[in-house]
Amino acid sequence: MSDSAETIIETYDDGHRIVCEERVRPDAYHFDGPDGRIAWSDLPQAARLYADLYAIAGGFDERQTGRRGTPPSVVRADEEVRMTCLAVRLSVAYAARAFDVDESIVRDAVDDVHARGSELRSRAGENG
């Protein structure tokens, strides 16, 4: 197996996609856009969730937010989106502590954001 083989896992109508970079060590999953890589994770579910966040927030740029910073479009979004952003970038436990809620509430928020993102992409596909 090559150290840089890539497989497209999912594509979206807006030019974004999730790509699996197959490596000797654990594979990496990237959320890419027309301008290049936006985010990466060791888990395909995290890459998909990031794609959901990106779609719901109308896109965002994290280049200057730092590891714990939050893009302005996410800050302006509802609490479920903000919780999910922290959960996907750091952890469910971190998000729960930041919002002073039980981890189950964060998991419910994550599930809802994923469902909203899937629905949004589904509607875009029907209209496109």
Side-chain angles (χ1 to χ4, degrees):
M1 180 185 321
S2 165
D3 197 42
S4 62
E6 290 188 345
T7 303
I8 297 172
I9 303 294
E10 220 167 287
T11 59
Y12 305 111
D13 291 341
D14 61 0
H16 291 88
R17 63 192 189 158
I18 296 174
V19 178
C20 174
E21 179 185 346
E22 299 164 9
R23 306 182 298 183
V24 175
R25 52 201 173 278
D27 292 345
Y29 297 86
H30 308 273
F31 175 58
D32 295 343
D35 296 326
R37 185 170 300 160
I38 297 170
W40 70 273
S41 172
D42 291 336
L43 301 171
Q45 304 91 319
R48 281 190 183 95
L49 188 55
Y50 198 93
D52 295 334
L53 276 171
Y54 195 87
I56 290 169
F60 48 83
D61 184 357
E62 289 190 282
R63 280 184 289 217
Q64 306 223 349
T65 62
R67 173 94 169 115
R68 293 190 179 180
T70 305
S73 60
V74 173
V75 170
R76 289 188 298 268
D78 61 57
E79 190 172 76
E80 285 185 332
V81 170
R82 293 191 311 269
M83 280 183 191
T84 301
C85 184
L86 289 179
V88 76
R89 292 178 69 228
L90 298 165
S91 72
V92 169
Y94 183 92
R97 286 190 307 271
F99 283 87
D100 195 26
V101 296
D102 189 75
E103 289 182 19
S104 65
I105 292 174
V106 175
R107 282 190 210 83
D108 288 346
V110 166
D111 290 344
D112 187 55
V113 165
H114 180 62
R116 288 166 53 191
S118 294
E119 182 180 325
L120 185 64
R121 279 194 302 281
S122 175
R123 279 188 301 203
E126 291 170 3
N127 295 330

